[in-house]
Amino acid sequence: QGQLVQSGPEVKKPGASVKVSCKASRYTFTSYGISWVRQAPGQGFEWMGWISTYNGDTKYAQKVQGRVTMTTDTSTSIAYMELRSLRSDDTAIYYCARGPPGGYGYPDLWGQGTLVSVSP
Amino acid sequence: DIVMTQSPATLSVSPGERATLSCRASQSLNYNLAWYQQKPGQAPRLLIYGTFTRATGIPARFSGSGSGTEFTLTISSLQSEDSAVYYCQQYNNWPPWTFGQGTKVEIK
């Protein structure tokens, strides 16, 4: 069925960068894409972007374009999301989610989430 | 981007009763709608995709319906373990995925 295990919580200062990892297991990593979705405290979900684990193609949300980079390491089945120039409104739980290889479709498996707190 | 609107914000239902959750999209979705359940401190869990289809392992008391811009998640006989926040999500116009703000289901 599959499992996604994310890295632990992070506390960062404004202007810093954070890199969250998402390790996939129990399925063929390159058969699915990985999206990143965040949830600010008490808020709904916000899609941040998608990466093809097959060829590294990416699509990013306009709101974070220029500050975010998504990568994968197929040798270890790990996806990464790096967010730079952090602001207080980037405080959120960040989730990786497995979806179809081409991106179009629904996420059927989510990681447990990584809390990123941005505070002076 | 497609805007998803869920109602009500909170639903209080007695055990064994039916819970009906609504989701409205700002554009037609061609049945490309999913529902998720999220319990406190947990990741979302896929319940329904393609408007109607239950995901693997989801009990039959969960059902989805709708078309165009109006969709419904029904829990036919509410159990105590169904207390959670439920989100709808469209994947018809991607990118991006967009989600509703959620309906919190409470056990009365």
Side-chain angles (χ1 to χ4, degrees):
Chain A
Q1 180 73 353
Q3 185 177 30
L4 296 172
V5 177
Q6 299 182 221
S7 48
E10 303 267 9
V11 179
K12 296 292 183 181
K13 295 207 180 298
S17 298
V18 69
K19 191 170 186 177
V20 179
S21 68
C22 170
K23 181 169 176 56
S25 62
R26 303 179 197 166
Y27 74 93
T28 302
F29 184 61
T30 51
S31 293
Y32 297 83
I34 293 287
S35 289
W36 291 87
V37 177
R38 66 183 178 180
Q39 186 177 32
Q43 303 297 311
F45 295 104
E46 178 185 18
W47 180 84
M48 298 181 66
W50 163 86
I51 183 166
S52 166
T53 57
Y54 177 74
N55 61 14
D57 283 352
T58 55
K59 293 186 187 294
Y60 298 136
Q62 211 165 7
K63 187 174 180 180
V64 294
Q65 179 89 38
R67 293 199 298 134
V68 70
T69 301
M70 296 177 187
T71 57
T72 62
D73 182 342
T74 56
S75 68
T76 56
S77 299
I78 299 177
Y80 298 94
M81 186 284 298
E82 181 180 33
L83 189 61
R84 301 176 294 277
S85 302
L86 288 168
R87 311 187 289 244
S88 58
D89 63 353
D90 291 318
T91 294
I93 299 174
Y94 288 74
Y95 293 97
C96 60
R98 184 182 78 174
Y104 180 81
Y106 55 90
D108 67 345
L109 180 68
W110 297 62
Q112 85 277 17
T114 296
L115 176 63
V116 175
S117 300
V118 183
S119 179
Chain B
D1 297 352
I2 294 179
V3 177
M4 306 298 292
T5 304
Q6 290 186 242
S7 61
T10 304
L11 189 60
S12 185
V13 180
S14 300
E17 296 296 305
R18 176 185 299 257
T20 302
L21 290 66
S22 297
C23 175
R24 174 177 292 177
S26 60
Q27 300 175 34
S28 178
L29 299 183
N30 299 313
Y31 302 105
N32 291 318
L33 180 107
W35 290 93
Y36 299 87
Q37 176 193 67
Q38 187 180 35
K39 297 181 178 180
Q42 295 185 18
R45 174 193 182 196
L46 176 67
L47 297 176
I48 301 284
Y49 61 92
T51 299
F52 306 100
T53 305
R54 279 190 303 278
T56 302
I58 301 303
R61 64 180 181 273
F62 291 92
S63 63
S65 61
S67 64
T69 62
E70 302 281 345
F71 301 89
T72 300
L73 175 69
T74 301
I75 310 172
S76 60
S77 177
L78 198 73
Q79 308 295 306
S80 57
E81 63 264 31
D82 299 333
S83 177
V85 181
Y86 293 82
Y87 295 92
C88 60
Q89 178 237 337
Q90 72 81 24
Y91 52 93
N92 190 61
N93 283 25
W94 178 90
W97 291 334
T98 51
F99 299 80
Q101 286 298 104
T103 291
K104 183 177 184 179
V105 173
E106 298 176 339
I107 308 299
K108 199 181 286 185

